[in-house]
Amino acid sequence: MIKFLRISVFVPIILVALPTSLGFQFVHHNHEAMLGVMNDANRRCPEITRIYNLSEPSVRNRSLTVIEFSNNPGIHEAGKPEFKYVGNMHGNEVVGREVLLKLIDSLCQRYRENDRLIHFMVHSMHIHIMPSMNPDGWEQAYKNYKEAKEKGGDPNWLIGRANNNSVDLNRNFPDLNSIMYQHEAEHKGRNNHLEKVEFAIKNVTNLQPETRAVMKWLARIPFVLSANLHGGDLVANYPYDTTRSGKPQEYTKAPDDATLRYLARSYARKHTKMGKPHKACDMTGDDNFGEQGGITNGGEWYSVPRGMQDYNYLDTNCFEITLELGCIKFPWDWDLEDYWQENQDALIFYMLQSHIGVKGLVTTTDGVPVKDAAIKTTNLTSGEYIAHDILTAADGDYYRLLIDGYYGITVVAPGFHNATRCVHVNNTMAVLHGAQRVDFELVSSDKPKPPQEECDEPMIEPPEDEYKEELREQLYRLQLIRRQLSAEEWDSLVRRMIADLQK
Ligand SMILES: *[C@@H]1O[C@H](CO)[C@@H](O)[C@H](O)[C@H]1NC(C)=O
Ligand SMILES: *[C@@H]1O[C@H](CO)[C@@H](O)[C@H](O)[C@H]1NC(C)=O
Ligand SMILES: *[C@@H]1O[C@H](CO)[C@@H](O)[C@H](O)[C@H]1NC(C)=O
Ligand SMILES: *[C@@H]1O[C@H](CO)[C@@H](O)[C@H](O)[C@H]1NC(C)=O
Ligand SMILES: *[C@@H]1O[C@H](CO)[C@@H](O)[C@H](O)[C@H]1NC(C)=O
Ligand SMILES: [Zn+2]
């Protein structure tokens, strides 16, 4: 029987400090300085980075600039998930912006130092990082911060939150939740990709350039996982954000509730504080995020209509969570390094979650990729259909993020017979090797229907337990330090680990 690995083996490992680059400074970066950090990473790591701007700039003509990390940046590659981080959507919530800049610096640095984990990531996925979605709001907030710093007070809580047209960008996306909830009630209509982006852009009132640019970006790149970094609390928030009933607070499950909870938890667990008991930010103590593992359902916290998180889920394949990185929205610059220390492992570990579940290629029997085929998932443990289909991308590839379990995956595409496979998902090694691959060859519907796989009887599997999380975490940690060990040290560590397992 497999036992817990003895923690003692790993304790010293956690204490190993990661190298920092010499050039990066923990200060608040204005727009030019922000672009400077991104350009510097691009200059030091040209073969694995690309810098690009979204299709239009902010109201005040500041670029919405993204850096992409991949060994083949700029080209979507079938089989490699696309991941994104977006920071500073609220201009006065700046911790995300600064930790993302440090992350950019650190990814490049660690790649150059032959860090195996970073090499694995750069070769197995595409990582897009946009440190600021609201560069105009940041300027307003910074002015206010500087004044407070000179006078010795605290910065105003709200200045710079909105964009330069005074619009809160996280209330500016199309309201797709109303459409979704109506479809649910009527038991008809789509459960994904609810509106074509061109239509949505025309149809939504008061759409801001920053929002429009992001909507077009999401339509162009087939993202599968994302986080939107905010501040003002300490919690990982998962869909839905808009309550079904319209009440100001109510737990509002998305069909992927179990997987979304896991994703939020995977960030909170690796953050040094978020997932542990901690004080509530508002001092009233009416949120107890620390006691619920550092995560919350969006609707249960407070209903947010027209937010970016639910828009991702309802109009694209992307699962997005919203991270609140601390009580203070615009902290003093001497505190920034602490925020990086708190978040750095979580930022990396969360990106690796792009590899959970199942991925594959959908083609015709002649090998032609099938675009926009629906990937339908049934949870064979509960017998329930997870009513959120994923669509294949232009190259016929799909990514179905799922927690451990037993699933029926059915591909549905017009002109073809449906095809089903039964799949056991075990994510323990996925974060080191990529998701298991399940490809489909669709047979044209004018040919006879091929025989289908018979799934076993639904079986009850033990729920995700702490043991599995522990094991996954330790494998991750091992990977982190592997590059710092000699071959002999590595061998001896693995031998001790196996010996421990056999006890
Ligand atoms: C992005 O926009 C900025 C400012 O408009 C410009 O200086 C920069 O060259 C642009 N970057 C790219 C990659 O087009
Ligand atoms: C916006 O910025 C770009 C690039 O920096 C510049 O070419 C353009 O003239 C600016 N537009 C306006 C309206 O200021
Ligand atoms: C918009 O930007 C201008 C120029 O920086 C500034 O004077 C103005 O106060 C800003 N308005 C808002 C609502 O942020
Ligand atoms: C788009 O327009 C239709 C009909 O005018 C409306 O019912 C729907 O709610 C709108 N959708 C959004 C996202 O605004
Ligand atoms: C599948 O069903 C089991 C049993 O009800 C449940 O514990 C698990 O969370 C479900 N998985 C997903 C991905 O919904
Ligand atoms: Zn915010």
Side-chain angles (χ1 to χ4, degrees), residues 283-497:
M283 310 300 168
T284 61
D286 62 353
D287 53 30
N288 56 343
F289 299 143
E291 282 137 51
Q292 51 196 53
I295 67 173
T296 185
N297 170 263
E300 186 175 43
W301 186 11
Y302 63 98
S303 189
V304 173
R306 298 182 59 182
M308 182 159 78
Q309 174 187 273
D310 288 3
Y311 177 79
N312 267 268
Y313 189 66
L314 293 173
D315 223 25
T316 82
N317 286 328
C318 190
F319 287 24
E320 180 165 284
I321 64 171
T322 305
L323 299 169
E324 303 282 348
L325 298 184
C327 301
I328 299 169
K329 296 187 179 205
F330 209 130
W332 308 118
D333 36 17
W334 50 82
D335 288 330
L336 291 173
E337 187 163 3
D338 289 345
Y339 285 100
W340 166 248
Q341 299 300 346
E342 288 165 17
N343 285 284
Q344 62 165 335
D345 273 359
L347 287 165
I348 300 279
F349 191 65
Y350 183 71
M351 289 193 262
L352 286 167
Q353 306 310 314
S354 309
H355 291 308
I356 65 169
V358 188
K359 70 178 180 187
L361 217 51
V362 178
T363 60
T364 66
T365 44
D366 301 327
V368 178
V370 180
K371 176 180 187 278
D372 286 342
I375 309 296
K376 293 180 176 287
T377 308
T378 303
N379 181 349
L380 293 175
T381 313
S382 63
E384 272 170 347
Y385 164 51
I386 300 175
H388 178 77
D389 302 342
I390 295 297
L391 300 187
T392 52
D395 297 326
D397 51 336
Y398 75 90
Y399 308 82
R400 204 344 164 164
L401 303 190
L402 288 165
I403 56 168
D404 286 4
Y406 182 43
Y407 302 96
I409 308 281
T410 299
V411 183
V412 177
F416 297 95
H417 289 295
N418 294 355
T420 297
R421 300 273 300 275
C422 326
V423 183
H424 287 277
V425 169
N426 179 344
N427 290 313
T428 303
M429 298 305 281
V431 296
L432 301 181
H433 294 307
Q436 72 169 300
R437 187 166 165 177
V438 180
D439 293 346
F440 291 87
E441 271 189 13
L442 300 184
V443 175
S444 166
S445 44
D446 52 23
K447 303 227 174 72
K449 184 171 169 122
Q452 288 302 307
E453 225 172 82
E454 298 269 325
C455 299
D456 306 338
E457 285 300 299
M459 52 177 166
I460 305 305
E461 299 204 2
E464 180 87 349
D465 55 23
E466 283 291 316
Y467 158 69
K468 274 194 189 162
E469 289 200 26
E470 189 63 39
L471 179 62
R472 197 173 302 158
E473 191 156 305
Q474 286 177 355
L475 284 167
Y476 163 77
R477 256 183 232 149
L478 274 179
Q479 197 74 4
L480 273 183
I481 54 118
R482 187 170 173 174
R483 74 193 149 77
Q484 296 166 341
L485 300 178
S486 68
E488 296 79 53
E489 286 168 327
W490 172 252
D491 281 352
S492 116
L493 190 63
V494 170
R495 269 200 303 275
R496 275 155 73 195
M497 196 173 135

Side-chain angles (χ1 to χ4, degrees), residues 116-173:
R116 282 165 192 258
L117 180 66
I118 304 305
H119 272 253
F120 166 67
M121 290 170 71
V122 164
H123 286 84
S124 65
M125 59 199 285
H126 290 250
I127 300 162
H128 303 254
I129 303 174
M130 180 161 76
S132 182
M133 179 175 165
N134 185 1
D136 298 343
W138 187 91
E139 295 294 329
Q140 296 299 115
Y142 184 70
K143 231 189 279 168
N144 172 52
Y145 161 85
K146 246 183 24 202
E147 280 164 21
K149 201 170 162 187
E150 277 151 22
K151 288 193 209 127
D154 280 329
N156 179 296
W157 186 250
L158 280 174
I159 291 175
R161 174 182 174 91
N163 77 345
N164 200 252
N165 290 333
S166 303
V167 174
D168 183 336
L169 299 175
N170 211 21
R171 305 289 186 280
N172 191 238
F173 283 80

Side-chain angles (χ1 to χ4, degrees), residues 215-228:
M215 287 169 71
K216 290 184 178 167
W217 183 37
L218 304 193
R220 197 172 70 244
I221 298 178
F223 291 111
V224 307
L225 182 64
S226 161
N228 174 10

